[in-house]
Amino acid sequence: MFTKKNFKEQRIELGRLRTKFQYETKYLVEYLSFTSDLTEKKNQQLSDQIFSDSESDPEAEAILQQLFEKEKDALLSYYHNSGIVLVYTVFESVLSDLCNEVKEFTGAGFSNNCLSGGNLIGKSKLYLELVSELPFDLIQGEWARIGQFQNLRNIIVHQNSCFVGSQQSVDKQKHRVSNNFHAIKISEVYQRFYILDDALVVEFVDLIKRFISKVIDYLESVDFLIEHKESNVNLECVPF
């Protein structure tokens, strides 16, 4: 028996994924706020301890003050660094979920993980462009800034927030970080950077929210050609 394929135009519904992402970012912001409060308390404890030690040993006051500034910067930076990494991980996860939803809906024969080269975020973006014709113009502004945060995250994860390599490479890294993130403090003594407030983390959260919202809105607005397979029906053969 010969059959023909039956394609119908159909739109994807991503309400569940949109709601999941909204709550993920909501709880993420609340977690970061909670962690920030704990960090501030720890910072105050450190300040009190330094003050007490300075009273006990006045001659060491200058040394203690220098140590306090270093430890305070490190403490705040560890918190904000982890925030950048955490937001990036959430972004990776939701983009991958979007790709999986589109793959299952369309019956595409390949996934974002099948694409070679690049990182997961880059492959997910390319996948959505291939299967849905996602226009780059729609996300161009956010994508450029995401790339800058991606570079920052990579230095945090792979270089422990330090500038490494040849002097030329170090100078290039410093210039890129200071140029893209004016609020970051760069230490020439320790050849590393410190993120001392949560403004960058908040910006990153808002950035991925805008990006994901634009992508979901677009995906729900386009028509996909979906193959509808008819169920096989067993007919009893009746002789003439």
Side-chain angles (χ1 to χ4, degrees):
M1 179 179 178
F2 294 97
T3 61
K4 65 178 181 179
K5 292 184 177 180
N6 181 22
F7 287 97
K8 293 183 179 180
E9 290 185 351
Q10 197 167 327
R11 292 194 174 184
I12 193 170
E13 208 286 313
L14 297 169
R16 183 195 64 82
L17 194 58
R18 188 194 296 270
T19 299
K20 176 175 176 285
F21 177 64
Q22 287 173 347
Y23 279 108
E24 276 184 333
T25 51
K26 175 186 176 182
Y27 297 145
L28 174 61
V29 170
E30 290 178 356
Y31 168 76
L32 294 173
S33 177
F34 171 72
T35 310
S36 179
D37 291 341
L38 292 179
T39 305
E40 288 297 329
K41 289 179 181 179
K42 185 64 178 178
N43 185 41
Q44 185 59 50
Q45 292 174 358
L46 179 62
S47 176
D48 293 341
Q49 184 63 55
I50 293 289
F51 179 76
S52 176
D53 290 341
S54 297
E55 286 191 320
S56 302
D57 189 1
E59 293 183 1
E61 182 176 358
I63 296 174
L64 290 170
Q65 184 60 35
Q66 185 179 16
L67 285 174
F68 171 68
E69 291 299 325
K70 177 187 174 184
E71 293 302 317
K72 180 187 69 173
D73 288 351
L75 182 64
L76 288 174
S77 194
Y78 288 148
Y79 154 68
H80 296 117
N81 285 354
S82 65
I84 294 292
V85 174
L86 185 56
V87 175
Y88 187 89
T89 301
V90 170
F91 185 46
E92 274 187 328
S93 176
V94 71
L95 266 184
S96 185
D97 286 345
L98 272 174
C99 291
N100 289 336
E101 289 278 348
V102 172
K103 178 183 180 299
E104 292 300 318
F105 181 74
T106 61
F110 69 104
S111 69
N112 57 328
N113 290 320
C114 295
L115 300 176
S116 61
N119 52 71
L120 181 57
I121 288 176
K123 290 194 289 187
S124 296
K125 168 186 161 289
L126 177 58
Y127 182 81
L128 293 175
E129 288 174 332
L130 291 173
V131 298
S132 74
E133 297 184 347
L134 174 69
F136 181 66
D137 289 349
L138 179 68
I139 56 171
Q140 186 172 7
E142 287 82 9
W143 186 252
R145 186 60 172 162
I146 286 169
Q148 294 172 352
F149 272 103
Q150 189 175 57
N151 177 258
L152 185 69
R153 175 261 183 193
N154 288 342
I155 298 177
I156 292 171
V157 172
H158 301 299
Q159 300 175 199
N160 194 28
S161 304
C162 294
F163 303 113
V164 299
S166 65
Q167 188 59 50
Q168 183 180 6
S169 176
V170 166
D171 291 342
K172 184 177 180 180
Q173 293 170 53
K174 286 181 183 177
H175 177 73
R176 179 184 297 172
V177 169
S178 62
N179 215 36
N180 294 334
F181 306 98
H182 302 300
I184 285 182
K185 178 179 178 180
I186 293 179
S187 170
E188 299 294 341
V189 176
Y190 301 107
Q191 296 296 306
R192 64 181 302 135
F193 64 78
Y194 299 100
I195 304 175
L196 301 180
D197 61 58
D198 61 2
L200 281 182
V201 183
V202 172
E203 180 194 348
F204 198 14
V205 172
D206 290 340
L207 179 65
I208 67 167
K209 286 170 67 175
R210 290 198 309 273
F211 184 92
I212 294 299
S213 179
K214 284 186 177 183
V215 171
I216 290 180
D217 286 346
Y218 170 79
L219 291 174
E220 289 187 326
S221 73
V222 297
D223 294 318
F224 292 92
L225 282 178
I226 307 299
E227 180 183 356
H228 288 258
K229 297 181 179 179
E230 296 181 0
S231 301
N232 291 326
V233 179
N234 293 323
L235 299 176
E236 183 179 355
C237 183
V238 179
F240 292 102

